[in-house]
Each structure stands twice: as C-alpha cells, then as structure tokens.
Amino acid sequence: EYRRRIKLSSGINAEYGGPMAIESLDKYSAGIEATMSEGKQVQMQAYTDAIEEEKAAVASLSASADIFDIKRELAALEVEAEYRRRIKQVSVEVKKRLDYQVELENTKKAFIRDHIIGWLESEVIASISPEQEEANINQCIASLSLLAE
C-alpha cells in the first residue's frame, strides 16, 4: 500500500525505474521523519527543562519564607544591638555629667574653704593688738629660755 501511495502521489510508476525512486523517496521521507522526530525530541527536552525550572522555582519560593524569617530576625537583632549601643552611650554621658557635677561641687567647697581660711587668718592677725603681740613674743622668749637651761 505504501508503494501505491507513492505511486499515486508522485505519479511515478514503480515499473519504470521505480525501485530507485522508491528508495530515494524512502530516504527522503526517513529524513523528514528524523527531522520531525528530532524537533519533537528538542521540544520534549525544552518542556522537561521548563518543568525542572518550575520545580526549582517552587523550591526557591518555599525557601524564601525561611529567608524572610531570617531577615526579619536579623533586623530585630540589629535593632536590639543599636538599642543597647545607645543605652550604653547614654549611661556614659550621664556618668560624665555626674562626674562633672561632683567635681564642680568639690571645687566650690575647696574655694569656699580656702576663702574662709584666708579670711579667718586675716581677721585673727588684724585682731591682735601690738601690745598682745609684744606680750606673746616675750612669753615665747621666756619659754625658750627655760627650755635652753
């Protein structure tokens, strides 16, 4: 039947040089069939690759939830670290200010103490009359004389 189809479609009579023509047509149709089969294989491979890519995409989407959780946790850790850094910075600054206030109070006390001491010395010296000073000097000399004996 195949030869009959060829005979009808190509108009070649199998009796007049038919075997060569049939062989040539068989090779030609085998080439066309191989080309079509090759195209089919290429297309099937492309579909298989597309399916594999879709599977990989689905797998990456399932992993993306984990990635988002990890990023969220990382952001929370960064916020916590920044919070702790700022708390430490505040405590250092407060300590500096408190140390400054303590030093300021100590300086004020020292200034007042020095001023009071200087004032007392000047008042005591001013309150000693020349007679008291003379009597005091004479008594010191007498005490030294006694000690020298």
Side-chain angles (χ1 to χ4, degrees):
E1 180 177 323
Y2 175 69
R3 286 183 183 199
R4 190 157 148 243
R5 240 186 312 156
I6 292 175
K7 182 178 180 182
L8 292 175
S9 65
S10 65
I12 298 175
N13 192 347
E15 296 167 4
Y16 303 109
M20 256 177 135
I22 290 173
E23 187 180 322
S24 170
L25 288 174
D26 283 344
K27 285 182 182 177
Y28 179 70
S29 66
I32 290 174
E33 187 179 334
T35 303
M36 290 176 71
S37 175
E38 182 180 315
K40 180 180 172 183
Q41 291 297 326
V42 167
Q43 198 168 17
M44 284 179 63
Q45 184 62 38
Y47 287 144
T48 305
D49 292 344
I51 289 170
E52 291 300 320
E53 287 177 8
E54 289 298 320
K55 285 181 182 177
V58 167
S60 71
L61 284 177
S62 67
S64 67
D66 293 338
I67 291 172
F68 286 131
D69 289 341
I70 290 170
K71 285 186 177 183
R72 190 176 306 117
E73 244 180 81
L74 185 61
L77 287 174
E78 287 175 354
V79 168
E80 177 72 19
E82 181 65 18
Y83 171 75
R84 288 177 184 242
R85 185 188 66 78
R86 287 183 181 182
I87 289 293
K88 182 179 179 187
Q89 184 179 6
V90 166
S91 67
V92 166
E93 290 300 317
V94 167
K95 185 180 181 320
K96 283 181 184 178
R97 288 182 184 182
L98 289 174
D99 288 346
Y100 171 77
Q101 289 298 325
V102 166
E103 188 64 32
L104 183 66
E105 286 298 316
N106 289 340
T107 303
K108 282 181 182 178
K109 287 178 183 177
F111 177 76
I112 290 170
R113 185 184 63 239
D114 291 345
H115 177 70
I116 289 174
I117 290 172
W119 179 75
L120 283 175
E121 284 178 355
S122 66
E123 289 299 313
V124 167
I125 290 173
S127 70
I128 297 176
S129 66
E131 294 86 27
Q132 288 176 335
E133 188 176 348
E134 177 98 17
N136 210 4
I137 290 176
N138 288 335
Q139 184 182 2
C140 286
I141 292 174
S143 296
L144 286 174
S145 301
L146 285 174
L147 285 176
E149 293 180 2

